Amino acid sequence: VRAQGDIYQVVANVSQFEPPDIVVTISNCHVTIQAEKVAEDGTICDTFTHKCQLPEDMDPLSVSCALSEAGTLVITAQRL
């Protein structure tokens, strides 16, 4: 987790996955990023999991995430 002024950021490289393969959940200041790539035969051929904790002084209503064309997922939250 990076802090820049009043903003916290979590950055993850998920370039090997398509957007529908990526799931981001946030609960009680815990961020979980999970992704799975499923092969044509239905087997899981690649997975990614990243967990981290945001500081408790973040505003849970301000959390947002964006995926760049290069495959970088950026989750941001503002301080209260």
Side-chain angles (χ1 to χ4, degrees):
V1 177
R2 280 190 272 178
Q4 292 182 325
D6 286 346
I7 296 177
Y8 296 114
Q9 278 191 336
V10 176
V11 179
N13 179 354
V14 291
S15 59
Q16 65 272 30
F17 299 96
E18 295 296 318
D21 301 334
I22 304 164
V23 176
V24 178
T25 56
I26 299 174
S27 177
N28 296 329
C29 297
H30 289 87
V31 176
T32 303
I33 303 165
Q34 293 182 297
E36 286 184 346
K37 187 180 290 187
V38 180
E40 289 185 20
D41 64 0
T43 59
I44 296 172
C45 57
D46 197 2
T47 63
F48 175 87
T49 302
H50 180 74
K51 296 180 181 184
C52 65
Q53 183 168 348
L54 290 170
E56 291 186 11
D57 67 342
M58 68 97 181
D59 178 4
L61 298 177
S62 72
V63 176
S64 66
C65 63
L67 182 62
S68 74
E69 296 224 1
T72 302
L73 180 68
V74 179
I75 300 167
T76 58
Q78 292 195 358
R79 282 190 176 144
L80 288 173

Coordinates of all heavy atoms in Angstrom, one line a residue:
V1 N 0.9 -1.2 0.0 CA 0.0 0.0 0.0 C 0.9 1.2 0.0 O 1.8 1.4 0.8 CB -0.9 0.0 1.2 CG1 -1.8 1.3 1.3 CG2 -1.8 -1.2 1.2
R2 N 0.7 2.1 -1.0 CA 1.4 3.4 -1.0 C 0.5 4.5 -0.6 O -0.7 4.5 -0.9 CB 1.8 3.6 -2.5 CG 3.0 2.9 -2.9 CD 3.5 3.4 -4.3 NE 2.7 2.7 -5.3 CZ 2.8 2.9 -6.6 NH1 3.6 3.9 -7.0 NH2 2.2 2.2 -7.5
A3 N 1.1 5.4 0.1 CA 0.3 6.6 0.5 C 0.9 7.8 -0.2 O 2.1 8.0 -0.3 CB 0.5 6.9 2.0
Q4 N 0.0 8.6 -0.9 CA 0.4 9.8 -1.6 C -0.5 10.9 -1.2 O -1.7 10.9 -1.6 CB 0.4 9.6 -3.1 CG 1.4 8.6 -3.7 CD 1.3 8.5 -5.2 OE1 0.3 8.6 -5.8 NE2 2.5 8.4 -5.8
G5 N -0.1 11.7 -0.3 CA -1.0 12.8 0.3 C -2.1 12.1 1.0 O -1.9 11.4 2.0
D6 N -3.3 12.4 0.6 CA -4.5 11.9 1.2 C -5.1 10.7 0.5 O -6.2 10.3 0.7 CB -5.6 13.0 1.2 CG -5.4 14.0 2.3 OD1 -4.5 13.8 3.1 OD2 -6.0 15.1 2.2
I7 N -4.3 10.0 -0.4 CA -4.7 8.9 -1.1 C -3.9 7.7 -0.9 O -2.6 7.8 -0.8 CB -4.7 9.2 -2.7 CG1 -5.7 10.3 -2.9 CG2 -5.0 8.0 -3.5 CD1 -5.8 10.8 -4.4
Y8 N -4.5 6.5 -0.7 CA -3.8 5.3 -0.6 C -4.0 4.5 -1.9 O -5.0 4.6 -2.5 CB -4.4 4.4 0.5 CG -4.3 5.0 1.9 CD1 -5.4 5.4 2.6 CD2 -3.0 5.1 2.5 CE1 -5.2 5.9 3.9 CE2 -2.9 5.6 3.8 CZ -4.0 6.0 4.5 OH -3.8 6.5 5.7
Q9 N -2.9 3.8 -2.3 CA -3.0 3.1 -3.6 C -2.4 1.7 -3.4 O -1.4 1.5 -2.7 CB -2.1 3.7 -4.7 CG -2.7 4.9 -5.4 CD -1.9 5.3 -6.6 OE1 -0.7 5.1 -6.6 NE2 -2.5 5.9 -7.5
V10 N -3.1 0.7 -4.1 CA -2.6 -0.6 -4.2 C -2.5 -0.9 -5.7 O -3.4 -0.6 -6.5 CB -3.6 -1.6 -3.6 CG1 -3.1 -3.1 -3.8 CG2 -3.8 -1.4 -2.1
V11 N -1.3 -1.3 -6.1 CA -1.0 -1.5 -7.5 C -0.7 -3.0 -7.8 O 0.2 -3.6 -7.0 CB 0.1 -0.6 -8.0 CG1 0.4 -0.9 -9.5 CG2 -0.2 0.8 -7.8
A12 N -1.2 -3.6 -8.8 CA -0.9 -5.0 -9.1 C -0.8 -5.2 -10.6 O -1.6 -4.6 -11.4 CB -2.0 -6.0 -8.5
N13 N 0.1 -6.0 -11.0 CA 0.3 -6.3 -12.5 C -0.6 -7.6 -12.8 O -0.2 -8.7 -12.3 CB 1.7 -6.6 -12.8 CG 1.9 -6.9 -14.3 OD1 1.0 -7.1 -15.0 ND2 3.2 -7.0 -14.7
V14 N -1.7 -7.4 -13.5 CA -2.5 -8.5 -13.9 C -2.6 -8.6 -15.4 O -3.6 -9.0 -15.9 CB -3.9 -8.4 -13.2 CG1 -3.9 -8.6 -11.7 CG2 -4.6 -7.0 -13.5
S15 N -1.5 -8.3 -16.1 CA -1.5 -8.2 -17.5 C -1.8 -9.5 -18.2 O -2.2 -9.5 -19.4 CB -0.2 -7.6 -18.0 OG 0.9 -8.3 -17.6
Q16 N -1.5 -10.6 -17.5 CA -1.7 -11.9 -18.1 C -3.2 -12.4 -18.1 O -3.5 -13.5 -18.6 CB -0.8 -13.0 -17.5 CG -1.1 -13.3 -16.0 CD -0.4 -12.4 -15.1 OE1 -0.1 -11.2 -15.4 NE2 -0.1 -12.9 -13.9
F17 N -4.1 -11.6 -17.5 CA -5.5 -11.9 -17.4 C -6.4 -10.9 -18.2 O -6.0 -9.8 -18.4 CB -5.9 -11.9 -15.9 CG -5.1 -12.9 -15.1 CD1 -4.0 -12.5 -14.4 CD2 -5.5 -14.2 -15.1 CE1 -3.3 -13.4 -13.6 CE2 -4.8 -15.1 -14.3 CZ -3.7 -14.7 -13.6
E18 N -7.5 -11.4 -18.6 CA -8.5 -10.6 -19.2 C -9.4 -9.9 -18.1 O -9.5 -10.5 -17.0 CB -9.4 -11.4 -20.1 CG -8.7 -12.0 -21.3 CD -8.1 -10.9 -22.2 OE1 -8.8 -9.9 -22.5 OE2 -7.0 -11.1 -22.7
P19 N -10.0 -8.8 -18.3 CA -10.8 -8.1 -17.3 C -11.9 -9.0 -16.6 O -12.0 -9.0 -15.4 CB -11.4 -6.9 -18.0 CG -10.4 -6.6 -19.0 CD -9.8 -7.9 -19.5
P20 N -12.6 -9.9 -17.4 CA -13.6 -10.7 -16.7 C -13.0 -11.8 -15.8 O -13.7 -12.3 -14.9 CB -14.3 -11.4 -17.9 CG -14.0 -10.6 -19.1 CD -12.7 -10.0 -18.8
D21 N -11.7 -12.0 -15.9 CA -11.0 -13.0 -15.1 C -10.6 -12.5 -13.7 O -10.2 -13.2 -12.8 CB -9.8 -13.5 -15.8 CG -10.0 -14.2 -17.1 OD1 -11.1 -14.6 -17.3 OD2 -9.1 -14.2 -17.9
I22 N -10.7 -11.2 -13.5 CA -10.2 -10.5 -12.3 C -11.4 -10.1 -11.4 O -12.4 -9.5 -11.8 CB -9.4 -9.2 -12.7 CG1 -8.3 -9.6 -13.7 CG2 -8.9 -8.5 -11.5 CD1 -7.8 -8.4 -14.4
V23 N -11.2 -10.5 -10.1 CA -12.2 -10.2 -9.1 C -11.5 -9.4 -7.9 O -10.5 -9.9 -7.4 CB -12.9 -11.4 -8.5 CG1 -13.8 -11.1 -7.4 CG2 -13.6 -12.2 -9.6
V24 N -12.0 -8.2 -7.6 CA -11.5 -7.4 -6.5 C -12.6 -7.4 -5.4 O -13.7 -7.0 -5.7 CB -11.1 -6.0 -6.9 CG1 -10.6 -5.2 -5.8 CG2 -10.1 -6.1 -8.0
T25 N -12.2 -7.7 -4.2 CA -13.1 -7.6 -3.1 C -12.5 -6.8 -1.9 O -11.2 -6.9 -1.8 CB -13.6 -9.0 -2.5 OG1 -12.4 -9.7 -2.1 CG2 -14.4 -9.7 -3.5
I26 N -13.3 -6.0 -1.2 CA -12.8 -5.2 -0.1 C -13.8 -5.4 1.0 O -15.0 -5.3 0.9 CB -12.7 -3.7 -0.5 CG1 -11.7 -3.5 -1.6 CG2 -12.3 -2.9 0.8 CD1 -11.6 -2.2 -2.1
S27 N -13.2 -5.8 2.2 CA -14.0 -6.1 3.4 C -13.2 -5.7 4.6 O -12.1 -6.2 4.8 CB -14.5 -7.5 3.4 OG -15.2 -7.8 4.6
N28 N -13.7 -4.8 5.4 CA -13.0 -4.4 6.7 C -11.6 -4.0 6.4 O -10.7 -4.5 7.1 CB -13.1 -5.5 7.7 CG -14.5 -5.8 8.1 OD1 -15.3 -4.9 8.2 ND2 -14.8 -7.1 8.4
C29 N -11.3 -3.2 5.4 CA -10.0 -2.6 5.1 C -9.1 -3.7 4.4 O -7.9 -3.4 4.2 CB -9.3 -2.0 6.3 SG -10.2 -0.6 7.0
H30 N -9.6 -4.9 4.2 CA -8.8 -5.9 3.5 C -9.1 -6.0 2.1 O -10.3 -6.1 1.7 CB -9.0 -7.3 4.1 CG -8.5 -7.4 5.5 ND1 -9.2 -7.1 6.6 CD2 -7.3 -7.9 5.9 CE1 -8.4 -7.3 7.7 NE2 -7.3 -7.8 7.3
V31 N -8.1 -5.8 1.2 CA -8.3 -5.9 -0.2 C -7.8 -7.2 -0.7 O -6.7 -7.7 -0.3 CB -7.5 -4.8 -0.9 CG1 -7.6 -4.9 -2.4 CG2 -7.9 -3.4 -0.5
T32 N -8.6 -7.9 -1.5 CA -8.2 -9.2 -2.1 C -8.4 -9.1 -3.6 O -9.5 -8.7 -4.1 CB -9.0 -10.4 -1.6 OG1 -8.9 -10.4 -0.2 CG2 -8.5 -11.7 -2.2
I33 N -7.3 -9.4 -4.4 CA -7.4 -9.4 -5.8 C -7.2 -10.9 -6.2 O -6.1 -11.5 -5.8 CB -6.3 -8.5 -6.5 CG1 -6.4 -7.1 -6.0 CG2 -6.3 -8.6 -8.0 CD1 -5.1 -6.3 -6.2
Q34 N -8.1 -11.4 -7.0 CA -8.0 -12.8 -7.4 C -8.3 -12.8 -8.9 O -9.1 -12.1 -9.4 CB -9.0 -13.7 -6.7 CG -8.7 -13.9 -5.2 CD -9.7 -14.8 -4.6 OE1 -10.9 -14.5 -4.5 NE2 -9.2 -15.9 -4.1
A35 N -7.5 -13.7 -9.6 CA -7.7 -13.8 -11.0 C -7.4 -15.3 -11.4 O -6.5 -15.9 -10.8 CB -6.8 -12.9 -11.8
E36 N -8.1 -15.8 -12.4 CA -7.9 -17.1 -12.9 C -8.1 -17.1 -14.4 O -9.0 -16.5 -14.9 CB -9.0 -18.1 -12.3 CG -8.8 -18.5 -10.9 CD -9.8 -19.6 -10.5 OE1 -10.8 -19.8 -11.2 OE2 -9.6 -20.1 -9.4
K37 N -7.2 -17.8 -15.0 CA -7.2 -18.0 -16.5 C -7.6 -19.5 -16.7 O -7.0 -20.4 -16.2 CB -5.9 -17.7 -17.1 CG -6.0 -17.7 -18.7 CD -4.7 -17.4 -19.3 CE -4.3 -16.0 -19.1 NZ -3.1 -15.6 -19.8
V38 N -8.8 -19.7 -17.4 CA -9.3 -21.0 -17.6 C -9.0 -21.4 -19.1 O -9.3 -20.6 -20.0 CB -10.8 -21.1 -17.3 CG1 -11.3 -22.5 -17.6 CG2 -11.1 -20.7 -15.9
A39 N -8.4 -22.6 -19.3 CA -8.1 -23.0 -20.6 C -9.4 -23.5 -21.3 O -10.4 -23.7 -20.7 CB -7.1 -24.2 -20.6
E40 N -9.3 -23.8 -22.6 CA -10.5 -24.2 -23.4 C -11.0 -25.5 -22.9 O -12.2 -25.7 -23.0 CB -10.1 -24.3 -24.9 CG -9.9 -22.9 -25.5 CD -9.7 -23.0 -27.0 OE1 -10.1 -24.0 -27.6 OE2 -9.2 -22.0 -27.6
D41 N -10.2 -26.4 -22.3 CA -10.7 -27.6 -21.8 C -11.3 -27.5 -20.4 O -11.7 -28.5 -19.8 CB -9.6 -28.7 -21.8 CG -8.4 -28.4 -20.9 OD1 -8.4 -27.4 -20.2 OD2 -7.5 -29.2 -20.9
G42 N -11.3 -26.3 -19.8 CA -11.9 -26.1 -18.5 C -11.0 -26.1 -17.3 O -11.3 -25.9 -16.2
T43 N -9.7 -26.4 -17.6 CA -8.7 -26.5 -16.5 C -8.2 -25.1 -16.2 O -8.1 -24.2 -17.1 CB -7.5 -27.4 -16.9 OG1 -6.9 -26.9 -18.0 CG2 -8.0 -28.8 -17.1
I44 N -7.8 -24.8 -15.0 CA -7.2 -23.6 -14.6 C -5.7 -23.6 -14.9 O -5.0 -24.4 -14.4 CB -7.5 -23.3 -13.1 CG1 -9.0 -23.2 -12.8 CG2 -6.7 -22.0 -12.7 CD1 -9.3 -23.1 -11.4
C45 N -5.3 -22.7 -15.8 CA -3.9 -22.7 -16.2 C -3.1 -21.6 -15.6 O -1.8 -21.6 -15.7 CB -3.8 -22.7 -17.8 SG -4.6 -21.3 -18.5
D46 N -3.7 -20.6 -15.0 CA -2.9 -19.6 -14.3 C -3.8 -18.9 -13.3 O -5.0 -18.7 -13.5 CB -2.5 -18.5 -15.4 CG -1.4 -17.6 -14.9 OD1 -0.9 -17.8 -13.7 OD2 -1.0 -16.7 -15.6
T47 N -3.2 -18.6 -12.1 CA -3.9 -18.0 -11.0 C -3.1 -16.8 -10.5 O -1.8 -16.8 -10.6 CB -4.3 -18.9 -9.9 OG1 -3.1 -19.4 -9.3 CG2 -5.1 -20.1 -10.4
F48 N -3.8 -15.9 -9.8 CA -3.1 -14.8 -9.2 C -3.9 -14.4 -8.0 O -5.1 -14.3 -8.1 CB -3.0 -13.5 -10.1 CG -2.5 -12.3 -9.5 CD1 -1.1 -12.1 -9.5 CD2 -3.3 -11.4 -8.9 CE1 -0.6 -10.9 -8.9 CE2 -2.8 -10.2 -8.4 CZ -1.5 -10.0 -8.4
T49 N -3.3 -14.2 -6.8 CA -3.9 -13.8 -5.6 C -3.0 -12.8 -4.9 O -1.9 -13.0 -4.8 CB -4.3 -15.0 -4.7 OG1 -5.1 -15.9 -5.3 CG2 -5.0 -14.5 -3.4
H50 N -3.6 -11.7 -4.5 CA -2.9 -10.7 -3.8 C -3.8 -10.1 -2.7 O -4.9 -9.8 -3.0 CB -2.4 -9.5 -4.7 CG -1.6 -8.5 -3.9 ND1 -0.3 -8.7 -3.5 CD2 -2.0 -7.2 -3.6 CE1 0.1 -7.6 -2.9 NE2 -0.9 -6.7 -2.9
K51 N -3.3 -10.1 -1.4 CA -4.1 -9.6 -0.3 C -3.3 -8.6 0.4 O -2.1 -8.7 0.5 CB -4.4 -10.7 0.7 CG -5.3 -11.8 0.1 CD -5.6 -12.9 1.1 CE -6.5 -14.0 0.5 NZ -6.9 -15.0 1.5
C52 N -3.9 -7.5 0.8 CA -3.3 -6.5 1.6 C -4.3 -5.8 2.5 O -5.5 -5.9 2.3 CB -2.5 -5.5 0.7 SG -3.6 -4.5 -0.3
Q53 N -3.8 -5.0 3.4 CA -4.7 -4.3 4.3 C -4.5 -2.8 4.1 O -3.4 -2.3 4.2 CB -4.5 -4.7 5.8 CG -5.5 -4.0 6.7 CD -5.4 -4.6 8.1 OE1 -4.8 -5.6 8.3 NE2 -6.0 -3.9 9.1
L54 N -5.7 -2.1 3.9 CA -5.6 -0.7 3.8 C -5.6 -0.1 5.2 O -6.2 -0.7 6.2 CB -6.8 -0.1 3.0 CG -6.8 -0.4 1.5 CD1 -8.2 -0.1 0.9 CD2 -5.7 0.4 0.8
P55 N -5.1 1.1 5.4 CA -5.1 1.7 6.8 C -6.5 2.0 7.2 O -7.4 2.2 6.4 CB -4.3 3.0 6.6 CG -3.4 2.7 5.4 CD -4.2 1.8 4.5
E56 N -6.8 1.9 8.5 CA -8.1 2.1 9.1 C -8.7 3.5 8.9 O -9.9 3.7 9.0 CB -8.1 1.7 10.5 CG -7.9 0.2 10.7 CD -8.1 -0.3 12.1 OE1 -8.6 0.5 13.0 OE2 -7.7 -1.4 12.4
D57 N -7.8 4.5 8.6 CA -8.4 5.8 8.4 C -8.8 6.1 6.9 O -9.0 7.2 6.5 CB -7.4 6.9 8.8 CG -6.1 6.9 8.0 OD1 -5.8 6.0 7.3 OD2 -5.4 7.9 8.1
M58 N -9.0 5.1 6.1 CA -9.4 5.3 4.7 C -10.9 5.3 4.7 O -11.6 4.7 5.5 CB -8.9 4.2 3.8 CG -9.4 2.8 4.0 SD -10.7 2.5 2.8 CE -11.2 0.8 3.3
D59 N -11.5 6.0 3.7 CA -12.9 6.2 3.6 C -13.4 5.0 2.7 O -13.1 5.0 1.5 CB -13.2 7.5 2.9 CG -14.7 7.8 2.6 OD1 -15.5 6.9 3.0 OD2 -15.0 8.8 2.0
P60 N -14.2 4.1 3.3 CA -14.6 3.0 2.5 C -15.5 3.3 1.3 O -15.6 2.6 0.3 CB -15.4 2.1 3.5 CG -15.7 3.0 4.6 CD -14.7 4.1 4.6
L61 N -16.2 4.5 1.3 CA -17.0 4.9 0.2 C -16.2 5.5 -0.9 O -16.8 5.8 -2.0 CB -18.1 5.9 0.7 CG -19.1 5.3 1.7 CD1 -20.0 6.4 2.2 CD2 -19.8 4.1 1.2
S62 N -14.9 5.8 -0.7 CA -14.1 6.4 -1.8 C -13.3 5.4 -2.6 O -12.6 5.8 -3.5 CB -13.1 7.4 -1.1 OG -12.1 6.7 -0.4
V63 N -13.4 4.1 -2.3 CA -12.6 3.1 -2.9 C -13.0 3.0 -4.4 O -14.2 2.9 -4.7 CB -12.7 1.7 -2.2 CG1 -11.9 0.7 -3.0 CG2 -12.2 1.9 -0.8
S64 N -12.0 3.0 -5.3 CA -12.3 2.7 -6.7 C -11.1 2.0 -7.3 O -10.0 1.9 -6.7 CB -12.4 4.1 -7.4 OG -11.2 4.8 -7.4
C65 N -11.3 1.4 -8.4 CA -10.2 0.7 -9.1 C -10.3 0.9 -10.6 O -11.4 1.2 -11.1 CB -10.2 -0.8 -8.7 SG -11.5 -1.8 -9.3
A66 N -9.1 0.8 -11.2 CA -9.0 1.0 -12.6 C -8.0 0.1 -13.2 O -7.0 -0.2 -12.5 CB -8.6 2.5 -12.9
L67 N -8.3 -0.4 -14.4 CA -7.3 -1.3 -15.1 C -6.8 -0.6 -16.3 O -7.6 -0.2 -17.2 CB -8.1 -2.6 -15.4 CG -7.3 -3.7 -16.1 CD1 -6.2 -4.2 -15.2 CD2 -8.2 -4.9 -16.5
S68 N -5.5 -0.5 -16.4 CA -4.9 0.2 -17.5 C -4.8 -0.8 -18.7 O -4.9 -2.0 -18.6 CB -3.5 0.7 -17.2 OG -2.6 -0.4 -17.2
E69 N -4.6 -0.2 -19.9 CA -4.5 -1.1 -21.1 C -3.3 -2.0 -21.0 O -3.2 -3.1 -21.6 CB -4.4 -0.2 -22.3 CG -5.6 0.6 -22.6 CD -6.0 0.6 -24.0 OE1 -5.4 0.0 -24.8 OE2 -7.1 1.3 -24.3
A70 N -2.3 -1.6 -20.2 CA -1.0 -2.4 -20.0 C -1.2 -3.5 -19.0 O -0.4 -4.3 -18.8 CB 0.1 -1.5 -19.6
G71 N -2.4 -3.5 -18.3 CA -2.7 -4.6 -17.4 C -2.3 -4.3 -16.0 O -2.2 -5.2 -15.1
T72 N -2.2 -3.0 -15.6 CA -1.9 -2.6 -14.3 C -3.2 -2.3 -13.6 O -4.0 -1.4 -14.1 CB -1.0 -1.4 -14.2 OG1 0.2 -1.8 -14.9 CG2 -0.6 -1.0 -12.8
L73 N -3.5 -2.9 -12.5 CA -4.7 -2.7 -11.7 C -4.3 -1.7 -10.6 O -3.4 -2.0 -9.8 CB -5.3 -4.0 -11.1 CG -6.6 -3.8 -10.3 CD1 -7.7 -3.4 -11.2 CD2 -6.9 -5.2 -9.6
V74 N -5.1 -0.6 -10.5 CA -4.8 0.4 -9.4 C -6.1 0.6 -8.6 O -7.1 1.0 -9.1 CB -4.3 1.8 -10.0 CG1 -4.1 2.8 -8.9 CG2 -3.1 1.6 -10.9
I75 N -5.9 0.3 -7.3 CA -7.0 0.5 -6.4 C -6.7 1.7 -5.5 O -5.6 1.8 -5.0 CB -7.2 -0.7 -5.5 CG1 -7.5 -1.9 -6.4 CG2 -8.3 -0.5 -4.5 CD1 -7.4 -3.3 -5.6
T76 N -7.6 2.7 -5.4 CA -7.3 3.9 -4.7 C -8.4 4.1 -3.6 O -9.6 3.7 -3.8 CB -7.3 5.2 -5.6 OG1 -8.5 5.3 -6.3 CG2 -6.2 5.1 -6.6
A77 N -8.0 4.7 -2.5 CA -8.9 5.1 -1.4 C -8.4 6.4 -0.8 O -7.2 6.6 -0.7 CB -9.0 4.0 -0.4
Q78 N -9.4 7.2 -0.4 CA -9.0 8.5 0.3 C -9.0 8.3 1.8 O -9.8 7.5 2.3 CB -9.9 9.6 -0.2 CG -9.8 9.9 -1.6 CD -10.4 11.2 -2.0 OE1 -11.0 11.9 -1.1 NE2 -10.3 11.7 -3.2
R79 N -8.2 9.1 2.4 CA -8.2 9.2 3.9 C -9.5 9.9 4.3 O -10.0 10.8 3.6 CB -7.0 10.0 4.4 CG -5.7 9.2 4.4 CD -4.7 10.0 5.2 NE -3.5 9.1 5.2 CZ -2.3 9.6 5.1 NH1 -2.0 10.9 5.0 NH2 -1.2 8.7 5.2
L80 N -9.9 9.6 5.5 CA -11.1 10.3 6.1 C -10.7 11.7 6.5 O -9.6 11.9 6.9 CB -11.6 9.5 7.3 CG -12.3 8.2 7.0 CD1 -12.6 7.5 8.3 CD2 -13.6 8.5 6.3

